[in-house]
């Protein structure tokens, strides 16, 4: 019998946050099997617990390599991806390169990313789960479990548009939050309430953390207990 450990990340109420560390992206096959087992069981249990549905997204900036792009291309007609914008909730809003950045650019270095786009898997729930399963090994999955159903994305659009002043970035059909571990550690309760408005559970494969972030606006103990999880020394151990 093996087990998966979720490390508790300190954060403010009403939220909770956990990190599943990985050895790196793309996932090694043994760890991919473990991660897929956990997230499949966890997302199903969370959806039942909170009477919620899932939205599955692919982070374009984390689609590295020809193989993962081919998987997306081969499944495009089934997954029906829609392009939206990911917004880092604790960073400067997206904006075009400034004249100063262009003037001071050093050859051989990289420009600041202009934006962080995401694909929404817009087809049926079966295809959303299929996309999650197919893309987990590449580290590009972002999943939102919400009790607001199809109203979630229209509801939160004004929240994530609020600080964007460059009109080049105000025309996307939807906006989703981008969050990493330090976001959860450093955020105030007021900000968490604003960012998690309508968002019950948030799951993101995070290159920044070399792991998978799971955060929520509701207690996850009932979900983790349903999976056989046990809280030990600040971490949840889930046997399988």
């Amino acid at each position: 019998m093996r087990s998966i450990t979720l490390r508790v990340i300190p954060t403010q109420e009403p939220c909770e946050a956990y990190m599943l560390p990985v050895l790196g992206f793309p996932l090694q096959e043994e760890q991919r099997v473990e991660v897929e087992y956990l997230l499949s069981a966890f997302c199903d249990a969370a959806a039942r617990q909170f009477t919620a549905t899932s939205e599955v997204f692919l982070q374009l900036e984390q689609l590295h390599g020809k193989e993962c792009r081919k998987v997306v291309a081969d499944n495009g007609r089934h997954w029906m991806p829609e392009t939206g914008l990911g917004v880092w909730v604790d960073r400067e809003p997206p904006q075009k390169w400034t004249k100063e950045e262009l003037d001071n650019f050093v050859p051989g270095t990289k420009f600041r990313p202009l934006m962080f786009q995401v694909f929404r898997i817009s087809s049926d729930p079966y295809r959303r789960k299929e996309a999650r399963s197919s893309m987990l090994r590449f580290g590009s999955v972002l999943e939102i479990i919400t009790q607001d159903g199809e109203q979630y994305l229209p509801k939160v659009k004004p929240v994530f548009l609020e600080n964007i002043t460059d009109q080049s970035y105000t025309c996307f059909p939807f906006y989703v939050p981008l969050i990493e571990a330090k976001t959860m550690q450093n955020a105030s309760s007021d900000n968490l309430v604003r960012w998690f408005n309508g968002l019950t559970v948030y799951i993101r494969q995070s290159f920044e953390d070399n792991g998978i972030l799971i955060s929520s606006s509701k207690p996850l103990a009932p979900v983790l207990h349903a999976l056989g999880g046990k809280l030990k020394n600040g971490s949840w151990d889930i046997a399988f």
Side-chain angles (χ1 to χ4, degrees):
M1 180 176 291
R2 294 183 292 178
S3 66
I4 296 173
T5 299
L6 294 179
R7 178 171 53 85
V8 175
I9 298 173
T11 193
Q12 297 292 320
E13 293 182 352
C15 289
E16 296 181 357
Y18 307 87
M19 179 61 62
L20 172 59
V22 299
L23 298 175
F25 297 110
L27 298 175
Q28 297 181 10
E29 179 59 17
E30 182 177 358
Q31 192 160 51
R32 182 200 66 79
V33 171
E34 294 178 353
V35 169
E36 184 172 354
Y37 165 81
L38 173 66
L39 290 189
S40 178
F42 174 84
C43 290
D44 286 348
R48 288 192 301 270
Q49 174 70 25
F50 302 118
T51 315
T53 57
S54 284
E55 290 279 2
V56 175
F57 306 88
L58 305 179
Q59 304 167 81
L60 267 65
E61 277 62 39
Q62 295 184 185
L63 289 175
H64 296 163
K66 294 181 179 179
E67 184 181 0
C68 65
R69 295 191 184 101
K70 184 176 187 304
V71 174
V72 175
D74 289 348
N75 288 280
R77 65 189 182 94
H78 300 301
W79 296 351
M80 299 173 61
E82 298 177 344
T83 304
L85 190 65
V87 178
W88 288 99
V89 297
D90 57 349
R91 301 187 191 179
E92 291 296 318
Q95 57 182 334
K96 294 189 291 293
W97 296 314
T98 64
K99 183 178 184 302
E100 183 180 4
E101 286 178 293
L102 295 172
D103 290 343
N104 295 329
F105 177 70
V106 177
T109 63
K110 292 183 178 181
F111 276 112
R112 167 181 57 80
L114 288 174
M115 56 183 167
F116 293 84
Q117 291 177 282
V118 297
F119 282 150
R120 173 180 176 255
I121 307 304
S122 68
S123 47
D124 59 76
Y126 170 81
R127 293 297 185 184
R128 293 174 193 176
K129 291 181 180 181
E130 178 185 69
R132 180 216 298 147
S133 176
S134 298
M135 300 305 295
L136 268 179
R137 62 188 169 118
F138 301 116
S140 63
V141 174
L142 188 161
E143 185 160 357
I144 288 172
I145 298 175
T146 174
Q147 294 174 301
D148 286 345
E150 294 182 358
Q151 296 305 310
Y152 172 73
L153 291 175
K155 176 181 178 178
V156 302
K157 185 174 181 178
V159 174
F160 300 116
L161 267 174
E162 186 175 14
N163 295 322
I164 299 177
T165 56
D166 189 325
Q167 293 187 354
S168 303
Y169 303 102
T170 60
C171 56
F172 286 88
F174 66 87
Y175 296 76
V176 296
L178 296 178
I179 297 172
E180 57 187 315
K182 69 178 182 180
T183 311
M184 300 302 298
Q185 289 175 314
N186 298 331
S188 66
S189 293
D190 288 345
N191 275 335
L192 290 172
V193 168
R194 187 166 68 91
W195 299 335
F196 278 76
N197 181 21
L199 195 166
T200 306
V201 181
Y202 179 90
I203 301 163
R204 176 175 175 263
Q205 291 190 287
S206 172
F207 277 37
E208 296 77 15
D209 298 307
N210 206 39
I212 300 170
L213 174 69
I214 299 176
S215 49
S216 70
S217 61
K218 295 183 182 295
L220 288 180
V223 177
L224 297 172
H225 280 308
L227 301 181
K230 296 181 179 180
L231 184 60
K232 297 179 180 178
N233 300 321
S235 299
W236 282 89
D237 288 337
I238 302 172
F240 66 102

